[in-house]
């Protein structure tokens, strides 16, 4: 479960104070896909950073799987899979080496990581380039690997920040199917997007973020 309770975050720019997130609350249950929908600059990414624990809220709190981000940041990050628009693959590692590396960072036992890597390669369809260096992959292939990287340690929570930005129709479809898989596995999922059609296609509920607040939810 993900809980955001009355989150507030201000940034000072000279003499001006920007209220990036202003009294924002929502709850995401296991097996639910929740969309944070709104234009660029609405406060979506700042909210995600507070949920992850990369930013400390000025007021309010966020909890992931029962752990508060301000009190237990490492416990929180160990329970989150993150997918962003940036591929973040290491060019000189093979896909298998990179997934095993990230699994090790999360403390996943080697045998479990090997099994999870093979399973993710099957469901996301990248068995044929599992042992190729990442520098040789196309944009769509890199996105599949990024999706796998987020689940290699079997987290209960998945955060997706503009996951289809820059992708073609085929690669975007993989993201939609992946989100459905995460829902079926019982993960609590947040999808951060500014595209209404995307939110309607993959989210069970969404909150419309405007000037740092949830203006509408449903």
């Amino acid at each position: 479960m993900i809980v955001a309770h009355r989150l507030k975050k201000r940034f000072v720019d000279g003499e001006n104070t920007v209220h990036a997130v202003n009294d924002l609350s929502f709850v995401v249950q296991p097996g639910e896909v929740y969309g944070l929908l709104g234009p660029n600059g609405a406060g979506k990414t700042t909210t995600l950073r507070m949920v992850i624990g990369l930013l400390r809220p000025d007021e309010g709190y966020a909890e992931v799987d029962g752990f508060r981000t301000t009190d237990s940041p490492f416990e929180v990050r160990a329970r989150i899979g993150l997918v962003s628009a940036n591929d973040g693959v290491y060019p000189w590692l093979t896909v298998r080496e990179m997934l095993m590396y990230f699994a090790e960072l999360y403390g996943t036992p080697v045998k479990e990581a090997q099994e999870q890597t093979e399973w993710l390669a099957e469901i996301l369809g990248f068995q044929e380039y599992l042992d190729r260096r990442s520098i040789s992959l196309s944009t769509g292939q890199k996105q599949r690997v990024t999706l796998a990287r987020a689940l290699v340690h079997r987290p209960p929570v998945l955060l997706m920040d503009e996951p289809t930005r820059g992708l073609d129709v085929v690669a975007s479809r993989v993201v939609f199917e992946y989100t459905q898989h995460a829902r079926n596995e019982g993960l609590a999922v947040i999808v951060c997007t500014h595209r209404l059609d995307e939110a309607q296609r993959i989210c069970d509920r969404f909150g419309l973020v405007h000037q740092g607040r949830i203006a509408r939810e449903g």
Side-chain angles (χ1 to χ4, degrees):
M1 179 188 292
I2 308 167
V3 177
H5 179 74
R6 307 200 70 172
L7 289 174
K8 292 186 180 182
K9 187 63 184 178
R10 297 177 291 272
F11 297 102
V12 178
D13 182 13
E15 297 181 355
N16 300 317
T17 299
V18 178
H19 294 269
V21 176
N22 192 9
D23 203 21
L24 186 148
S25 299
F26 59 84
V27 175
V28 187
Q29 300 289 345
E32 180 180 33
V33 179
Y34 184 88
L36 278 180
L37 181 66
N40 294 330
K44 305 185 303 297
T45 299
T46 300
T47 299
L48 283 192
R49 287 175 177 166
M50 287 190 284
V51 171
I52 296 169
L54 296 179
L55 282 177
R56 189 178 185 91
D58 296 322
E59 296 180 37
Y61 63 84
E63 289 183 352
V64 172
D65 202 28
F67 291 91
R68 193 164 294 193
T69 57
T70 50
D71 299 334
S72 308
F74 294 107
E75 293 287 354
V76 167
R77 290 169 202 169
R79 287 163 170 76
I80 289 176
L82 177 65
V83 176
S84 69
N86 301 316
D87 59 62
V89 299
Y90 294 162
W92 301 112
L93 293 181
T94 68
V95 173
R96 187 190 304 275
E97 288 170 342
M98 191 181 70
L99 293 179
M100 292 297 293
Y101 169 69
F102 274 91
E104 184 177 355
L105 286 180
Y106 283 107
T108 307
V110 173
K111 189 175 187 303
E112 181 180 330
Q114 291 172 336
E115 293 173 351
Q116 185 75 348
T117 295
E118 294 289 348
W119 179 69
L120 288 168
E122 180 180 351
I123 66 169
L124 289 172
F126 59 83
Q127 299 102 316
E128 64 185 61
Y129 51 88
L130 188 55
D131 292 301
R132 279 169 50 187
R133 293 190 186 276
S134 299
I135 195 172
S136 68
L137 304 181
S138 68
T139 299
Q141 290 171 336
K142 288 178 180 177
Q143 183 68 355
R144 291 174 191 253
V145 175
T146 301
L147 295 173
R149 187 188 65 194
L151 292 185
V152 72
H153 59 298
R154 301 182 66 87
V157 167
L158 180 65
L159 305 182
M160 306 177 72
D161 189 10
E162 305 286 358
T164 62
R165 186 169 62 193
L167 299 183
D168 60 22
V169 174
V170 175
S172 295
R173 180 181 175 185
V174 172
V175 174
F176 298 145
E177 293 173 349
Y178 171 87
T179 308
Q180 179 63 51
H181 165 76
R183 177 195 285 115
N184 294 342
E185 289 290 304
L187 276 69
V189 182
I190 294 178
V191 177
C192 184
T193 182
H194 63 270
R195 294 179 52 186
L196 179 59
D197 60 327
E198 190 170 284
Q200 289 177 317
R201 181 169 181 177
I202 62 179
C203 297
D204 301 302
R205 291 186 302 128
F206 64 80
L208 177 60
V209 183
H210 177 64
Q211 295 182 348
R213 298 175 180 265
I214 298 287
R216 295 285 187 275
E217 187 178 52

